[in-house]
Amino acid sequence: MRVAGKIALVTGAARGIGRGIAEKLGLEGADLAIVDLSAEALADTVATLATAGRKVLPLGADVGDRQQADGVVAAAIEQFGRLDILVNCAGINRDAILHRMTDEQWDAVIRVDLSAVFYLTRAAAVHMRQRGSGRIINISSASWQGNVGQANYAAAKAGVIGLTKTAARELAPKGVTANAICPGFIETEMTRAMPPDAWERIAGRIPMGRVGTPADVGNVVAFLASDEAAYVTGEVINVGGGLVL
Ligand code: NAP
């Protein structure tokens, strides 16, 4: 029970990595506000957390919209009285080779994968600064270093790292940590949508010999959210079975 009694907010919690993170934080004792595009899509995550005895506030919101992003932070604080842990996990990809990437593909990914992280981090920072404690954990990607077909996604995920390190510097004196996690290749709907040959090619490059699971990421989030990680901030942690070394 590494986060017993803490209040967490996790975005993109209906499925995939976000769901794995929410369920792990629940098992470790946190009560949670969980966010996804539709509140109905959160039903399975709510059921798992309720079975574990946790209090859950499901919120339907588009976190790429500033007002809705501010609204979910406010709703979590109103419901639970405070916010201890923010996990920005909602994300999308719209892959295309650079010279064929449309403005719409660029804008959509920057909006959800970068601007949303800014909106939520800013709103949480206002609250966490006042309380003198807090944990901000942002899900970036191994692709932040550049990946063919992912100029938009790589730019957004690299931006998340710059944002996280800046938050870490600014908030350290206030007792708030900010860290980024870079998942490698994790089995979710996002990766299952890839062509089978691309899947096999990437999976075959993982030194540990297996694709990752949402729980692999959730385990690291639980550590960063815990009191044990009080002196860890501004870090970028790969969770990829050695895919990026
Ligand atoms: P996923 O299975 O596609 O799940 C993403 C979730 O985020 C979905 O439930 C989605 O809702 C939700 N979402 C999308 N846009 C949203 C918005 N504007 N507001 C609120 N919720 C929104 O993806 P995943 O593989 O779990 O990825 C989760 C995060 O990890 C992403 O940031 C991704 O970039 C990152 N990541 C994943 C991998 C990997 O191998 N899977 C590797 C590196 C990084 P809908 O279902 O309604 O679209």
Side-chain angles (χ1 to χ4, degrees):
M1 298 292 269
R2 283 188 289 181
V3 289
K6 306 273 190 197
I7 307 300
L9 188 160
V10 180
T11 70
R15 65 177 203 222
I17 296 172
R19 180 174 176 184
I21 290 168
E23 291 180 354
K24 177 64 178 174
L25 290 176
L27 279 175
E28 295 281 352
D31 291 328
L32 294 106
I34 55 175
V35 183
D36 212 284
L37 276 171
S38 93
E40 294 73 40
L42 290 161
D44 290 346
T45 316
V46 170
T48 310
L49 290 167
T51 303
R54 302 274 71 84
K55 292 190 190 115
V56 196
L57 174 66
L59 296 165
D62 173 359
V63 291
D65 176 274
R66 181 179 56 75
Q67 286 187 335
Q68 293 184 51
D70 286 348
V72 295
V73 173
I77 294 168
E78 188 182 331
Q79 174 79 14
F80 294 111
R82 64 179 201 282
L83 179 63
D84 301 301
I85 302 158
L86 168 67
V87 185
N88 281 301
C89 186
I92 61 170
N93 52 13
R94 299 285 184 270
D95 294 357
I97 206 82
L98 177 58
H99 62 276
R100 288 198 205 114
M101 185 171 285
T102 65
D103 292 354
E104 289 73 23
Q105 287 171 320
W106 173 267
D107 289 342
V109 170
I110 296 298
R111 178 178 179 278
V112 178
D113 292 16
L114 181 57
S115 297
V117 180
F118 165 63
Y119 299 144
L120 281 140
T121 300
R122 178 176 60 181
V126 170
H127 172 74
M128 290 174 176
R129 284 174 62 94
Q130 285 167 355
R131 295 195 65 242
S133 68
R135 296 278 191 274
I136 297 166
I137 301 157
N138 293 328
I139 305 303
S140 177
S141 168
S143 294
W144 78 271
Q145 298 186 70
N147 199 20
V148 172
Q150 294 198 310
N152 48 2
Y153 187 77
K157 294 299 188 180
V160 165
I161 289 176
L163 168 61
T164 305
K165 286 180 176 281
T166 301
R169 286 184 191 275
E170 292 185 3
L171 297 172
K174 300 292 181 185
V176 179
T177 69
N179 292 286
I181 292 176
C182 294
F185 195 57
I186 310 295
E187 185 165 6
T188 68
E189 285 191 34
M190 184 182 274
T191 47
R192 278 194 289 266
M194 294 172 66
D197 59 326
W199 170 286
E200 293 300 332
R201 189 167 23 86
I202 300 174
R205 290 195 350 241
I206 301 171
M208 282 196 169
R210 70 168 177 88
V211 173
T213 66
D216 289 320
V217 182
N219 290 336
V220 180
V221 170
F223 165 68
L224 289 173
S226 74
D227 290 343
E228 293 164 336
Y231 203 56
V232 179
T233 198
E235 293 297 336
V236 179
I237 301 178
N238 287 310
V239 181
L243 182 64
V244 176
L245 293 174

